[in-house]
Amino acid sequence: MTRSTIYSLLVSGMLLVSQNSTAQSDQINDTMEGSVSTIDGYVPSMSITKDGKTAYFSKGTYEKPLYGVFSKKELVYHIYRAENINGEWTNITQLEVCPKHYSAKHPTVTGDGTRLFFASNMKGTFGKYDIYVADIAADGSVGVSKNLGPKVNTKEDELYPSIYNETLLFFASEGRDGFGGLDLYASQVVKNTLTTSVNLGAHINTNSDEYAIQLSPEKKMGFVVSNRGFNNTVSQYTVAYGRSSKRDQYNDVADGGTGLQTAMNGNAYDYVDTSFQDED
């Protein structure tokens, strides 16, 4: 994945997200929140439950590896939960969603706060980073992390999961025969079943890296974060996935939408009921 020089993307800082932001809101802004770093590339903002009370985010720290007394410290990512109390994010807690010395990052929570999706390189992955899911109990505790299986994960990286409308999982993958770099895919996830992953198509994916997509249903627009800019700079691009009277107001609008429309249609593919396997 190409690394970018440090600069502000659209809205800086995970913990500077407005207290009124909701990851699952029906009203989606025309910009996506996140930041850019030389280490991580695109860094998504916090994922917040629909009631605005709980947020999840990831952060990397340098730690000594499991083996090698004189080995250099390695960058390890952890997922944290924060609570909104009187308008301030507090009670920040690290979640144990993967074994020590492994990384977990890019968390996204369903609007009702009952499921957490994230990327991890823990033992048992199909390759590098895989997408996992864990149930969240009423008391906030997180259950066993479950690998989404080969319908989503490959021998390469699967990153940046995000949930739309509770069941449509978007994620970036570089392990399939796509258009190059990280491509955006989607799968319908219902209870413990999911559909075959669908590439969102050439109107969204390019030979560069596409990190994330956010939909604006009212405008029939999608906002895509990609490094397709000059000198691989990371920025936001706008795509149309249906008829829209406001198309002409946006730059970099691409027509089409077959792949995205297919992904949004849960009846397009048979569900697979054996993908959520508990990891030891």
Side-chain angles (χ1 to χ4, degrees), residues 43-115:
V43 181
S45 65
M46 295 192 299
S47 179
I48 308 174
T49 55
K50 194 170 184 177
D51 60 13
K53 295 180 178 180
T54 310
Y56 297 85
F57 65 96
S58 58
K59 181 181 179 180
T61 59
Y62 283 93
E63 302 174 6
K64 274 288 188 180
L66 179 61
Y67 302 104
V69 177
F70 300 105
S71 299
K72 292 183 178 180
K73 291 184 177 181
E74 299 176 344
L75 187 61
V76 178
Y77 295 87
H78 300 286
I79 293 176
Y80 299 85
R81 179 180 62 238
E83 297 177 0
N84 190 333
I85 299 178
N86 297 326
E88 294 187 4
W89 292 110
T90 185
N91 292 341
I92 299 174
T93 306
Q94 180 179 321
L95 302 182
E96 303 298 331
V97 296
C98 71
K100 191 176 180 180
H101 302 295
Y102 290 96
S103 287
K105 59 183 179 178
H106 306 160
T108 182
V109 65
T110 54
D112 61 6
T114 62
R115 269 186 161 177

Side-chain angles (χ1 to χ4, degrees), residues 30-41:
D30 290 359
T31 58
M32 294 177 65
E33 294 167 337
S35 60
V36 175
S37 78
T38 54
I39 296 175
D40 303 314

